[in-house]
Every structure is written in structure tokens, then in C-alpha cells.
């Protein structure tokens, strides 16, 4: 009996070490302590080095005069502006190329991904070649291809290529008419917002009606009429306040209009084409992930191939496509930092110039890291919300 009591008491002596819950808490606390100690050591070392080199720390330098020009800016900027405004210009340029790149890459990717599953042999092979070419080339080389191999060999401004709607294309970029808004133009923007809101309401009500009765409503044409028709009506009621400034050819350059520089064009086209190759594979995998029985059942109901793809296959494939699609959007945004190789003034380029002029290396790197992190988290937040909206809901 005594030996049995000893055996019963023996596990209780080591219960503190053998308890998985307590052991897990212990190692988590240990990791946190080591992490805090590592961060403190790095910060202490950086402060000591800055003090030894007599380099001032802090973000007060953002209020200083920049003293350098930026070739492309969506907001007012000059060399007399502050360093903070220069970084803001770079941030806006990064957001512009990221947003338009994401939209273009998504459209191209969906078209190529669906084309890879086409019954037409030629279309299927062309889409396959596109994916294999762009997917296996580094994005920096794709940027150089567009910048040095395509745009640089375009004709000079005096021999510009004429395009529809009074647009021109040459070595110095793409020129197209610039909108000039007159008095009362605000009514057009209000009508556009109202049209978008009404189109959303119509789509929501049409979906509820279809779920309840099975009857469909022409949502697309109704939404198009609201979004386009209301601004046109406001344009007429406000006295046609919109005019256009068309680019005109001169001896050595084009005057007037709006210019899109070759640096932006090459970066935009490269990131769009490169990312679209990966999106195409994601879309193809998502469509393949939909059961063939869904297509057969839709065909048995009399739906055509286009309606089957639009109403049955793609909505189900989106639940597979959205999570990896988020990663590609993040990659495109971060790859925009390669713009420094061709002189496009994105966040990395402008913040790097500020860093070199002020010597505030730590602060400059921290600013870039925080901004890119915030953009990535915001993108993930939006895509996670969209993923939750597309998820199946049990009823």
C-alpha cells in the first residue's frame, strides 16, 4: 500500500512541468521577454551610435525645406515644399500606380485565366504562352522591357503617333485631352454619387426579389442608365460646363492636354502584365475547383455557356480565388518600389532622397515601413471583408 501511495504521488510532483497549459504559458512569456529584450538592445544600440556620430533623431526634419523637384506630382509641389510633403507626393504616386495596376491586372488575369480553359485551341495556347512568359521573368526585367524596349523606341514628339479622341503617343509619354470644369460642375459629381447609390439599392433589391421569387431583374442595364444617365442629365441642366483641352503638336513637343510620362506607363504596364499572369493561374484553379456537376446541371436547365460561366461557375470560383488574390494585390503594391530603377517618384524614391539629404536613416526607413505596412493591412482588411461577403451562409 505504501508503494502504491508513492506511485500515486509521483506524478503530482512534476505536474508543474508536465502540464501542457502551464508549459505553454511559460514558453510564451519567455518568447515575449526575449523579443522585448532584443528590441530594447537594438534601440539602445541605435541611440548610442546616433549620439556618437552626433546625428539628431526625431521627425522634426519633415518640416524642413525639401530643395529638390519631383517630376510627377498629383498635388501641388515645388522645391520650396517641406520634406513631409515630398514624402506625401511619393505616397500618392505609389497609391495611384497600385490602384490602377490592381484594376488592370485583375481584368487581364480573369480574361487570361478563363481563356486558358477555352475550347478554342489558339486562344488556349496564346493564354498559356502569356502566363509562362510573364510568370518566369523577374518583374524588374519586365519594367525595363516596357521602358527601354517599347516606350524608348517610339517616335519623337514631332512624329507622334495619332490615336483616337485627339490623343498622341511618343517617347515622352501618352497625351490625351484634359477635362476643364466650369461653373456648376459640382452638380455632375453629385449626380454621379446619387446614381451609384441608386444602382447599389436597385442591385440589393433585385437580389432580394430573386431570392424570394426567382424572378430576375435587368440590374446591369438599369445601373448603367443610372450611373451614366444622371450625370448626363446634370451636365445638360448645368449648362454644359465641361470642355476639353486637346494636346497640339508643335515643333519640338506637344502643348496642352494631359501627359502621362513614360516612367509611369512602363511601371504600370509591367506590374499589370506581370501580376496578371499569376492572377490568371489563380482564376483557372478556382474554376477548376468548381464541381463539373454544377456546369452539367446548369446546362440541363437550358442555360447557355456564357450564362453558366457568369451565373454559376465564377460566383462559386470566387470563394476559392479571393484569398490568394489578396496576396497578389499585396505583391503588386510592394513591387511598385522597383520604380526607383526607372526614375518614377514613388514612395521609396522620394523617401530615399529625403533620407540622403537629411541623414535621418532610421526615421526614413521607419516611415517607409509604417506606410507600406498600413497599405498592406488596409488591402487585407478590404479583401477579407469581401471574402466574408462571398462566403456561403447556412440558412
Amino acid at each position: 500500500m505504501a508503494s502504491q501511495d508513492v506511485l500515486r504521488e509521483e506524478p503530482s510532483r512534476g505536474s508543474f512541468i508536465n502540464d501542457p497549459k502551464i508549459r505553454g504559458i511559460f514558453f510564451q512569456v519567455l518568447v515575449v521577454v526575449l523579443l522585448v529584450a532584443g528590441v530594447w538592445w537594438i534601440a539602445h544600440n541605435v541611440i548610442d551610435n546616433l549620439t556618437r556620430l552626433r546625428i539628431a533623431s526625431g521627425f522634426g526634419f519633415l518640416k524642413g525645406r525639401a530643395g529638390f523637384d519631383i517630376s510627377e506630382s498629383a498635388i501641388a509641389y515645388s522645391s520650396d515644399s517641406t520634406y513631409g510633403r515630398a514624402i506625401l507626393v511619393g505616397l500618392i504616386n505609389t497609391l495611384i500606380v497600385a490602384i490602377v495596376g490592381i484594376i488592370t491586372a485583375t481584368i487581364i488575369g480573369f480574361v487570361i485565366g478563363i481563356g486558358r480553359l477555352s475550347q478554342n485551341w489558339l486562344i488556349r495556347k496564346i493564354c498559356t504562352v502569356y502566363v509562362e512568359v510573364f510568370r518566369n521573368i523577374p518583374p524588374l526585367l519586365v519594367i525595363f522591357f516596357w521602358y527601354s524596349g517599347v516606350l524608348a523606341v517610339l517616335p519623337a514628339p514631332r512624329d507622334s503617333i495619332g490615336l483616337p479622341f485627339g490623343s498622341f503617343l511618343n517617347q515622352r509619354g501618352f497625351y490625351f485631352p484634359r477635362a476643364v470644369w466650369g461653373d456648376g460642375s459640382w452638380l455632375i459629381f453629385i449626380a454621379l454619387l446619387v446614381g451609384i447609390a441608386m444602382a447599389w439599392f436597385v442591385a440589393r433589391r433585385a437580389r432580394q426579389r430573386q431570392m424570394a421569387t426567382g424572378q430576375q431583374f435587368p440590374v446591369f442595364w438599369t445601373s448603367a442608365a443610372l450611373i451614366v444617365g444622371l450625370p448626363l442629365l446634370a451636365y445638360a441642366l448645368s449648362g454644359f460646363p465641361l470642355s476639353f483641352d486637346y494636346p497640339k503638336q508643335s515643333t519640338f513637343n506637344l502643348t496642352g492636354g494631359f501627359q502621362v510620362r513614360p516612367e509611369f506607363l512602363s511601371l504600370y504596364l509591367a506590374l499589370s502584365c506581370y501580376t496578371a499572369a499569376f492572377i490568371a493561374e489563380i482564376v483557372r484553379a478556382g474554376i477548376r475547383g468548381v464541381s463539373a456537376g454544377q456546369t452539367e446541371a446548369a446546362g440541363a436547365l437550358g442555360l447557355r455557356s456564357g450564362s453558366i460561366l457568369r451565373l454559376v461557375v465564377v460566383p462559386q470560383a470566387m470563394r476559392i480565388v479571393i484569398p490568394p488574390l489578396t496576396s497578389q494585390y499585396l505583391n503588386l503594391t510592394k513591387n511598385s518600389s522597383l520604380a526607383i530603377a526607372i526614375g518614377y517618384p514613388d514612395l521609396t524614391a522620394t523617401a530615399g532622397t529625403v533620407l540622403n539629404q537629411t541623414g535621418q536613416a532610421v526615421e526614413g526607413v521607419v516611415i517607409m515601413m509604417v506606410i507600406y505596412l498600413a497599405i498592406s493591412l488596409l488591402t487585407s482588411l478590404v479583401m477579407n471583408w469581401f471574402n466574408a461577403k462571398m462566403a456561403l451562409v447556412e440558412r
Side-chain angles (χ1 to χ4, degrees), residues 44-67:
H44 181 72
N45 190 32
V46 169
I47 293 173
D48 285 346
N49 289 333
L50 291 176
T51 304
R52 179 171 53 84
L53 296 174
R54 296 181 180 179
I55 298 177
S57 59
F59 296 92
F61 70 95
L62 294 175
K63 299 180 181 179
R65 179 178 178 274

Side-chain angles (χ1 to χ4, degrees), residues 126-288:
I126 290 176
C127 294
T128 301
V129 170
Y130 175 92
V131 170
E132 294 302 327
V133 168
F134 281 100
R135 191 175 61 170
N136 293 290
I137 298 178
L140 185 59
L141 291 182
V142 181
I143 295 174
F144 284 143
F145 164 76
W146 283 106
Y147 187 68
S148 302
V150 177
L151 299 178
V153 299
L154 290 174
R158 67 175 61 186
D159 301 319
S160 298
I161 301 174
L163 300 175
F165 307 106
S167 302
F168 294 93
L169 185 64
N170 55 49
Q171 292 178 345
R172 298 185 182 180
F174 175 57
Y175 294 78
F176 60 91
R178 180 173 60 88
V180 180
W181 302 95
D183 296 335
S185 301
W186 59 270
L187 187 61
I188 301 176
F189 294 99
I190 296 298
L192 177 61
L193 295 177
V194 172
I196 294 174
M198 293 180 65
W200 175 83
F201 179 77
V202 169
R204 182 181 179 88
R205 293 293 298 174
R207 181 177 179 82
Q208 293 175 352
R209 175 191 176 189
Q210 183 176 356
M211 294 295 293
T213 65
Q215 298 179 355
Q216 292 186 348
F217 185 81
V219 176
F220 176 79
W221 293 111
T222 304
S223 300
L226 290 171
I227 295 176
V228 177
L230 287 179
L232 289 178
L233 179 61
Y235 174 64
L237 293 177
S238 58
F240 304 97
L242 177 62
S243 60
F244 293 94
D245 178 22
Y246 290 89
K248 299 177 182 179
Q249 285 184 292
S250 60
T251 306
F252 300 103
N253 201 353
L254 277 79
T255 59
F258 188 86
Q259 178 188 10
V260 180
R261 295 179 180 274
E263 292 80 12
F264 174 85
L265 281 176
S266 57
L267 180 65
Y268 157 67
L269 293 172
L271 294 181
S272 300
C273 295
Y274 177 78
T275 309
F278 293 89
I279 294 178
E281 288 297 274
I282 293 172
V283 172
R284 185 174 70 92
I287 294 176
R288 287 292 191 186

Side-chain angles (χ1 to χ4, degrees), residues 17-65:
I17 299 176
N18 296 327
D19 189 344
K21 184 176 181 180
I22 297 178
R23 188 169 63 248
I25 294 175
F26 171 76
F27 283 110
Q28 291 180 40
V29 172
L30 180 61
V31 170
V32 171
V33 171
L34 293 176
L35 182 61
V36 171
V39 172
W40 179 86
W41 179 80
I42 293 174
H44 181 72
N45 190 32
V46 169
I47 293 173
D48 285 346
N49 289 333
L50 291 176
T51 304
R52 179 171 53 84
L53 296 174
R54 296 181 180 179
I55 298 177
S57 59
F59 296 92
F61 70 95
L62 294 175
K63 299 180 181 179
R65 179 178 178 274

Side-chain angles (χ1 to χ4, degrees), residues 225-379:
L226 290 171
I227 295 176
V228 177
L230 287 179
L232 289 178
L233 179 61
Y235 174 64
L237 293 177
S238 58
F240 304 97
L242 177 62
S243 60
F244 293 94
D245 178 22
Y246 290 89
K248 299 177 182 179
Q249 285 184 292
S250 60
T251 306
F252 300 103
N253 201 353
L254 277 79
T255 59
F258 188 86
Q259 178 188 10
V260 180
R261 295 179 180 274
E263 292 80 12
F264 174 85
L265 281 176
S266 57
L267 180 65
Y268 157 67
L269 293 172
L271 294 181
S272 300
C273 295
Y274 177 78
T275 309
F278 293 89
I279 294 178
E281 288 297 274
I282 293 172
V283 172
R284 185 174 70 92
I287 294 176
R288 287 292 191 186
V290 178
S291 173
Q294 298 289 323
T295 304
E296 296 171 356
L301 293 175
L303 294 177
R304 297 180 179 180
S305 57
S307 299
I308 293 174
L309 183 66
R310 180 172 57 89
L311 300 175
V312 178
V313 177
V314 172
Q316 296 185 70
M318 288 298 292
R319 300 182 178 98
I320 306 174
V321 167
I322 292 175
L325 197 63
T326 304
S327 299
Q328 294 305 317
Y329 290 168
L330 297 178
N331 289 337
L332 188 149
T333 303
K334 290 180 288 188
N335 285 339
S336 65
S337 61
L338 297 173
I340 194 173
I342 56 173
Y344 178 72
D346 72 322
L347 175 63
T348 303
T350 54
T353 304
V354 172
L355 185 152
N356 292 329
Q357 288 194 1
T358 61
Q360 305 289 332
V362 176
E363 292 83 354
V365 172
V366 168
I367 290 174
M368 288 187 284
M369 291 175 60
V370 169
I371 291 177
Y372 278 115
L373 178 62
I375 295 174
S376 299
L377 292 178
L378 181 60
T379 304

